[in-house]
Amino acid sequence: MLTDIEIAQGAKMKPIVEVANSVGISSKELEPYGHFKAKISDDLYDEISSNKDGKLVLVTAVNPTPAGEGKTTVTIGLGDAMSKIGKKAVIALREPSLGPVFGIKGGAAGGGYSQVVPMEEINLHFTGDMHAITSANNLMCAILDNHIQQGNELGIDQRRVLVKRCLDMNDRALRNIVCSLGGKLNGIPREDHFIITVATEVMAILCLSEDLFDLKRRLGNILVAYTYDGKPVYCRDIKADGAMTVLLKEAIKPNLVQTLENTPAFMHGGPFANIAHGCNSVRATKTALKLSDYCITEAGFGSDLGAEKFFDIKCRFANLKPSCVVLVSTVRSMKYNGGVPKAELIGENMEALKKGSVNLGAHIDNLKKFGVPVIVAINHFYADTDNEIQFIEDFCKEKGADFAVTKCFAEGGAGSVELAQKVVDACEKENDFHQLYDLDMSIYEKIETIAKEIYGADGVDYTKEAKASIEEFIKLGADKMPVCMAKTQYSLSDNPQALGRPKNFRITISSASLSNGAGFVVCQTGSIMTMPGLSKQPAAYNIDIDENGKTVGLF
């Protein structure tokens, strides 16, 4: 079989104007970036605001394993399959980060015959959104340090600077640094840290903002530091919010691309779900809903992270009501959770499959707590046996979830027709969608609810630093905000080695931060890092240009 990039480079793409016209977007509402990608003008949403919303379908997954589950691949395949059964669908995805692209995880454009294109442009610089977010964040940091250098009128305590510079790359050398060395003209030396762009509050704000002026308001509300006498300093106080908004003026506009089968796809925003809220932008999702019968979107990593934040943060803020949720799993991932090493996953193993089914069962149980119909989609692999598939189908039915096999990686939209029809049927059912917790609960109650109800923890412990931070945020009025949990994606617990459905454990909140502009409190568990590092054999080693100037090795 061809590699992903070979398939993508052989795609028969339509001009982006034609793709836009297929869902009622005129050329005057497009801002093209070349022939095959474009941004949507600010005027479009106003023009379609009276349109009836389509059905909102969330695609999530079990905890990721080294074998790969293919959540984005299934999302794209489902969108293409909707077109094949005569439904008008628009896909809404996140943009890739260069960190995973050159690291180990890979891109975010799908795989096989279920991809969005132009794949290599999407996975690299795309329309410059990541650059704009990086620049806006770092401008805020530069203005803050300059304020301190130029007399420090606000009395900012350089030991209590909260915002961090960022880079859209995995670079462990920047996790902990000392800056402003070299004498008086270079500022006051202090310890600092870099984080990856997709973990910044600026990224979260871009994805949650309703429009440009909501974006500016939220940027102004970023808590950047404290003064020597303990008073909060916000981004608007250092007069950075206006210039940051200008840098993000184009980035807030959703990007339009297409699948290999020419289904329209919005790709906008890219917060990680293990350290941020893991959903594409509110603007992209709401626009897709106004233009389609079905908006197919995804949330990052497993349902314990991305889906929980989609429901409790994004849907709450944007007043969205999902019609159904698709839970992606694989035979291989279930056997891995049953104790089979990655190298031995090929070959029928019913005992391991049964043992590992508890992880899938936990995710089904969790999703049902939000009151939305659940469909399990098994992303088919060539070595899967009929016995294994039958076992999973029976298991899902016992758990009260519908079931379908998808072969979209090898067959594109045609391989997900059964799944598409089941999604259509599920969307016609009445549902009782609701959030997991009320905002009136205390921050501690919200954390404990997530830990117990979603992770299966017995309780929550706090470091002295984390508890002091949370108490400070409560004084600032953040007690009524939702909680964004930063946790390993590999386990339901905060221990990445604890596979399956862990029991008899407690979650430890190691630190907490306030994303005041985004509107939530971030709680970090375990040793989760906001600046990843490269592996011993990063994907960058395989990426190159051939003698014809063509990109090779990009997946």
Side-chain angles (χ1 to χ4, degrees):
M1 186 174 174
L2 299 174
T3 64
D4 289 351
I5 192 168
E6 289 170 336
I7 293 170
Q9 288 172 340
K12 295 180 180 179
M13 291 185 284
K14 291 182 178 180
I16 199 63
V17 174
E18 288 186 31
V19 177
N21 288 345
S22 71
V23 286
I25 305 173
S26 67
S27 57
K28 70 181 179 64
E29 294 157 339
L30 279 185
E31 298 174 6
Y33 281 62
H35 299 296
F36 303 112
K37 57 186 188 289
K39 280 193 169 288
I40 304 300
S41 76
D42 290 328
D43 298 330
L44 175 65
Y45 193 79
D46 290 337
E47 294 180 16
I48 62 175
S49 60
S50 61
N51 289 7
K52 183 181 177 182
D53 283 346
K55 304 288 188 180
L56 179 58
V57 178
L58 173 68
V59 180
T60 185
V62 296
N63 295 104
T65 68
E69 283 64 54
K71 180 170 72 290
T72 304
T73 300
V74 172
T75 304
I76 296 164
L78 175 57
D80 285 336
M82 284 290 190
S83 300
K84 290 191 175 298
I85 63 172
K87 305 298 181 181
K88 187 178 180 182
V90 174
I91 300 165
L93 302 169
R94 294 170 297 158
E95 301 177 48
S97 162
L98 290 179
V101 168
F102 291 110
I104 194 169
K105 181 179 180 293
Y113 289 91
S114 185
Q115 296 187 55
V116 283
V117 285
M119 181 266 255
E120 71 183 83
E121 293 178 34
I122 290 169
N123 275 316
L124 299 176
H125 299 295
F126 201 20
T127 59
D129 292 347
M130 293 293 181
H131 166 75
I133 293 164
T134 302
S135 298
N137 181 87
N138 292 346
L139 173 64
M140 172 178 58
C141 295
I143 288 176
L144 176 61
D145 281 326
N146 186 62
H147 179 94
I148 295 172
Q149 174 73 1
Q150 303 292 350
N152 198 6
E153 181 183 346
L154 294 172
I156 294 170
D157 184 347
Q158 66 268 23
R159 298 165 301 180
R160 301 194 70 189
V161 170
L162 303 176
V163 290
K164 311 300 179 188
R165 287 172 171 81
C166 68
L167 186 72
D168 189 36
M169 193 64 66
N170 292 1
D171 192 346
R172 63 171 53 83
L174 295 177
R175 284 176 187 161
N176 298 288
I177 64 169
V178 177
C179 64
S180 302
L181 299 179
K184 186 176 180 180
L185 290 177
N186 296 322
I188 301 172
R190 61 182 171 85
E191 184 180 352
D192 206 348
H193 316 273
F194 270 73
I195 61 177
I196 194 165
T197 298
V198 289
T200 63
E201 185 176 356
V202 176
M203 169 62 82
I205 286 172
L206 182 91
C207 290
L208 292 171
S209 297
E210 293 283 348
D211 54 40
L212 188 64
F213 297 100
D214 185 34
L215 174 72
K216 181 181 177 181
R217 178 187 64 81
R218 289 173 176 271
L219 292 172
N221 286 339
I222 296 175
L223 179 64
V224 297
Y226 289 98
T227 64
Y228 284 113
D229 56 1
K231 293 180 180 177
V233 179
Y234 299 98
C235 185
R236 59 180 178 271
D237 296 328
I238 60 170
K239 302 176 183 177
D241 51 328
M244 292 170 70
T245 305
V246 171
L247 280 173
L248 296 169
K249 186 165 64 76
E250 300 303 315
I252 195 175
K253 299 173 182 176
N255 307 298
L256 179 66
V257 289
Q258 62 191 291
T259 69
L260 292 173
E261 300 180 17
N262 312 119
T263 301
F266 288 114
M267 295 193 76
H268 194 219
F272 284 173
N274 58 343
I275 50 181
H277 77 283
C279 306
N280 72 301
S281 77
V282 166
R283 286 192 65 167
T285 300
K286 284 193 167 185
T287 303
L289 283 168
K290 293 294 183 184
L291 294 170
S292 64
D293 298 326
Y294 297 88
C295 168
I296 315 296
T297 191
E298 67 167 348
F301 292 126
S303 73
D304 54 319
L305 289 168
E308 184 272 316
K309 295 169 186 178
F310 177 85
F311 294 139
D312 284 326
I313 296 176
K314 180 175 177 176
C315 289
R316 191 191 305 267
F317 284 164
N319 195 29
L320 298 172
K321 182 179 179 180
S323 296
C324 84
V325 57
V326 175
L327 175 61
V328 178
S329 186
T330 64
V331 171
R332 295 190 299 168
S333 74
M334 292 175 68
K335 289 191 287 191
Y336 183 83
N337 271 285
V340 178
K342 180 183 177 182
E344 301 173 17
L345 290 174
I346 295 176
E348 187 175 288
N349 188 332
M350 299 303 294
E351 183 179 347
L353 189 68
K354 183 176 181 180
K355 184 179 178 183
S357 66
V358 295
N359 185 260
L360 174 61
H363 288 278
I364 294 172
D365 291 343
N366 286 345
L367 291 170
K368 290 174 71 176
K369 291 175 182 177
F370 294 94
V372 180
V374 179
I375 303 168
V376 173
I378 294 299
N379 193 7
H380 190 269
F381 186 70
Y382 76 91
D384 298 346
T385 70
D386 291 342
N387 286 337
E388 290 171 328
I389 296 295
Q390 187 61 55
F391 170 82
I392 300 173
E393 181 173 3
D394 293 342
F395 177 81
C396 291
K397 288 179 178 177
E398 287 177 11
K399 299 292 291 184
D402 208 342
F403 172 88
V405 173
T406 172
K407 299 181 179 180
C408 55
F409 182 89
E411 300 176 11
S416 284
V417 167
E418 178 191 7
L419 174 62
Q421 190 57 62
K422 291 197 172 184
V423 166
V424 170
D425 294 342
C427 286
E428 295 307 313
K429 297 177 182 177
E430 288 292 325
N431 75 58
D432 178 33
F433 171 67
H434 54 270
Q435 272 82 36
L436 187 69
Y437 55 80
D438 295 327
L439 292 183
D440 287 337
M441 296 167 64
S442 72
I443 292 176
Y444 297 108
E445 289 173 319
K446 292 166 191 167
I447 294 168
E448 189 164 302
T449 298
I450 296 169
K452 289 183 175 180
E453 294 293 328
I454 302 299
Y455 308 155
D458 294 333
V460 181
D461 298 318
Y462 299 84
T463 64
K464 184 177 178 181
E465 176 193 12
K467 195 152 191 177
S469 296
I470 292 171
E471 290 299 322
E472 185 69 40
F473 304 152
I474 291 171
K475 291 177 184 176
L476 294 176
D479 200 33
K480 304 306 178 186
M481 289 183 178
V483 169
C484 180
M485 299 287 278
K487 182 183 75 68
T488 179
Q489 65 270 34
Y490 298 115
S491 172
L492 288 164
S493 74
D494 56 2
N495 174 8
Q497 306 304 318
L499 303 181
R501 190 171 193 167
K503 301 286 185 183
N504 305 314
F505 69 93
R506 295 178 68 84
I507 290 286
T508 299
I509 306 299
S510 54
S511 63
S513 59
L514 176 59
S515 292
N516 194 60
F520 50 69
V521 175
V522 180
C523 294
Q524 290 185 230
T525 68
S527 58
I528 192 77
M529 291 183 178
T530 53
M531 171 53 85
L534 293 172
S535 65
K536 192 171 183 178
Q537 295 289 325
Y541 286 179
N542 302 316
I543 299 170
D544 206 346
I545 295 288
D546 69 12
E547 62 275 9
N548 299 312
K550 200 172 186 179
T551 301
V552 295
L554 189 66
F555 325 122

